[in-house]
Amino acid sequence: MSTPSEPAHAPTESACVRSEPARAPTESACVRSEPARAPAESARVRSEPAPSVIAGERRRLINLAYRLLGSLAEAEDAVQETYARWYAMPRRRQEAVESPAAWLTTVAGRICLDVLGSARVRREAYVGAWIPEPLPDRTEWFSGRAVGAGAESADPADQITLDESVDMAFLVVLEAMTPAERVAFILHDVFRYPFAEIAEIVDRTPAACRQLASSARRRVRAAQAPAVPAAGQTGLVRRFKEAWEARDIGALVGLLDPDATMTADGGGLVGTVLRPVRGGDRIAQYLIHIADKAPGLTLLERTVNGRPGLVAQHAGVPVTVAAFSLTTDRVTHIWAVRNPEKLRPWTEPRQS
């Protein structure tokens, strides 16, 4: 679950705009005093940012917000709110922003921080276990739809870069962090932002942000499983699928770690277990029970959050998306998402 490098980001937001009248806290970190400029220089600095420059930040912001929130719907809402705040500013203030990318990142980070704070209360009232929203691979054919390798899509799911930092096991570890830990860790370790910039977003000192990221890093390392080659992951998931389809309980038990855990998320909208199922034997029995109870299920091998996973369809409609944590020869954890609100990227037609 190591985190990859990201492209270099925009300069610190604290240096992104000229001196302006007092404004709301979200914008205030973007302001600094500067000496008076010559008219020609002022005209150059204060030119309005091109719409394409602002719109071009959307993919990066969606990637950031999804990793911070674990919810594609909430990530899209956060990015939309970020853009709403940008376009709500008078043109004069927009022209004063020296780095729109830095401004957008800071505002999006603060919005996500607020959402994370309130999410803990909402998730305490959530029915059953809460699992991050699973993401499909846009290059795979799914439900009769395909997106070409060179095509662009407005679907937020298609904006997410599928790498180790969206692996389901990694996102689940992030859920155990405090909001400030998560923001500091993701911005620094995944997106390579310096602590001085992160401090402005979480309202802490750079030293405190460094400690937050270090604490988060220890959590990730403690939960990190040994790396398994991609081919080995694909083969193990395929054998698991075949054993489930054959209702071969012995084969399932043999593929499951004795201490394996299965967590399901129905959100109170569909039937599923409300507590994790623990132990390879019990998981195998439960899966056979599901197969007997719901005849007509079709299992498909699909990439889930960048890793081999399974999708269960009924009458051609995805009803469950399963992500796995694996060793070289055993399944150690299954995350089964059944909440239909979290399966929209898998079921709704893509926007073009």
Side-chain angles (χ1 to χ4, degrees), residues 20-40:
E20 289 290 323
R23 62 194 70 204
T26 300
E27 300 173 39
S28 62
C30 244
V31 179
R32 68 186 177 98
S33 298
E34 293 188 359
R37 302 177 183 272

Side-chain angles (χ1 to χ4, degrees), residues 266-291:
L269 302 177
V270 296
T272 191
V273 289
L274 299 180
R275 295 181 178 83
V277 181
R278 304 185 188 281
D281 289 346
R282 293 187 63 193
I283 295 172
Q285 292 169 5
Y286 178 77
L287 292 173
I288 297 299
H289 170 72
I290 292 298

Side-chain angles (χ1 to χ4, degrees), residues 295-320:
L297 282 180
T298 302
L299 296 180
L300 305 174
E301 295 178 47
R302 289 292 182 268
T303 299
V304 180
N305 287 64
R307 305 286 187 182
L310 294 176
V311 175
Q313 286 187 331
H314 188 267
V317 177
V319 293
T320 302

Side-chain angles (χ1 to χ4, degrees), residues 58 62-63 65-67 69-79 123 130-136 155-160 171 341-346:
R58 175 178 168 80
I62 285 284
N63 272 274
Y66 175 74
R67 286 162 175 81
L69 301 175
S71 165
L72 188 59
E74 291 180 350
E76 185 176 16
D77 288 345
V79 172
R123 289 170 191 174
W130 191 94
I131 299 174
E133 290 184 30
L135 292 177
D155 189 335
D158 292 344
Q159 306 278 322
I160 306 293
L171 293 177
E341 293 183 349
K342 295 185 177 184
L343 298 183
R344 287 174 182 167
W346 303 82

Side-chain angles (χ1 to χ4, degrees), residues 12-350:
T12 176
E13 184 173 351
S14 62
C16 65
V17 301
R18 286 169 46 99
S19 177
E20 289 290 323
R23 62 194 70 204
T26 300
E27 300 173 39
S28 62
C30 244
V31 179
R32 68 186 177 98
S33 298
E34 293 188 359
R37 302 177 183 272
E41 183 183 4
S42 178
R44 174 177 57 80
V45 172
R46 296 176 63 84
S47 62
E48 183 180 6
S52 60
V53 172
I54 303 301
E57 292 297 314
R58 175 178 168 80
R59 178 182 293 272
R60 185 177 59 83
L61 294 174
I62 285 284
N63 272 274
L64 171 64
Y66 175 74
R67 286 162 175 81
L68 289 177
L69 301 175
S71 165
L72 188 59
E74 291 180 350
E76 185 176 16
D77 288 345
V79 172
Q80 287 178 342
E81 174 62 19
T82 299
Y83 277 109
R85 294 186 187 184
W86 169 266
Y87 288 114
M89 286 197 301
R91 176 176 294 184
R92 183 165 175 266
R93 290 186 177 178
Q94 292 179 1
E95 291 171 350
V97 175
E98 294 179 0
S99 174
W103 190 97
L104 292 167
T105 298
T106 293
V107 173
R110 289 174 177 169
I111 291 171
C112 289
L113 187 65
D114 290 341
V115 172
L116 286 170
S118 61
R120 287 179 172 258
V121 176
R122 294 198 308 274
R123 289 170 191 174
E124 286 177 359
Y126 194 81
V127 179
W130 191 94
I131 299 174
E133 290 184 30
L135 292 177
D137 185 337
R138 72 185 295 249
T139 63
E140 291 181 340
W141 178 272
F142 192 78
S143 294
R145 295 180 276 113
V147 177
E152 286 295 329
S153 170
D155 189 335
D158 292 344
Q159 306 278 322
I160 306 293
T161 302
L162 297 178
D163 59 27
E164 292 174 339
S165 64
V166 296
D167 173 56
M168 186 62 76
F170 181 80
L171 293 177
V172 170
V173 174
L174 295 180
E175 286 298 312
M177 298 179 185
T178 67
E181 272 184 329
R182 186 166 183 166
V183 171
F185 175 71
I186 291 296
L187 280 172
H188 182 266
D189 284 44
V190 178
F191 288 87
R192 304 304 182 190
Y193 274 71
F195 290 118
E197 295 180 30
I198 298 169
E200 296 180 0
I201 296 174
V202 300
D203 195 24
R204 308 282 182 94
T205 65
C209 291
R210 187 183 300 275
Q211 291 178 344
L212 288 169
S214 178
S215 173
R217 207 172 296 122
R218 287 194 296 270
R219 291 178 187 263
V220 171
R221 288 172 179 166
Q224 195 168 18
V228 179
Q233 296 179 43
T234 301
L236 181 53
V237 171
R238 179 170 297 135
R239 293 195 299 274
F240 186 89
K241 168 182 174 287
E242 293 169 348
W244 191 3
E245 289 174 327
R247 292 171 169 74
D248 188 339
I249 192 168
L252 283 172
V253 170
L255 292 169
L256 287 158
D257 188 270
D259 296 322
T261 302
M262 188 187 80
T263 308
D265 179 349
L269 302 177
V270 296
T272 191
V273 289
L274 299 180
R275 295 181 178 83
V277 181
R278 304 185 188 281
D281 289 346
R282 293 187 63 193
I283 295 172
Q285 292 169 5
Y286 178 77
L287 292 173
I288 297 299
H289 170 72
I290 292 298
D292 291 337
K293 187 178 179 180
L297 282 180
T298 302
L299 296 180
L300 305 174
E301 295 178 47
R302 289 292 182 268
T303 299
V304 180
N305 287 64
R307 305 286 187 182
L310 294 176
V311 175
Q313 286 187 331
H314 188 267
V317 177
V319 293
T320 302
V321 174
F324 296 84
S325 179
L326 311 169
T327 64
T328 54
D329 58 355
R330 296 290 183 97
V331 175
T332 58
H333 205 124
I334 305 170
W335 293 277
V337 179
R338 302 203 64 238
N339 184 341
E341 293 183 349
K342 295 185 177 184
L343 298 183
R344 287 174 182 167
W346 303 82
T347 59
E348 293 185 349
R350 297 184 190 273

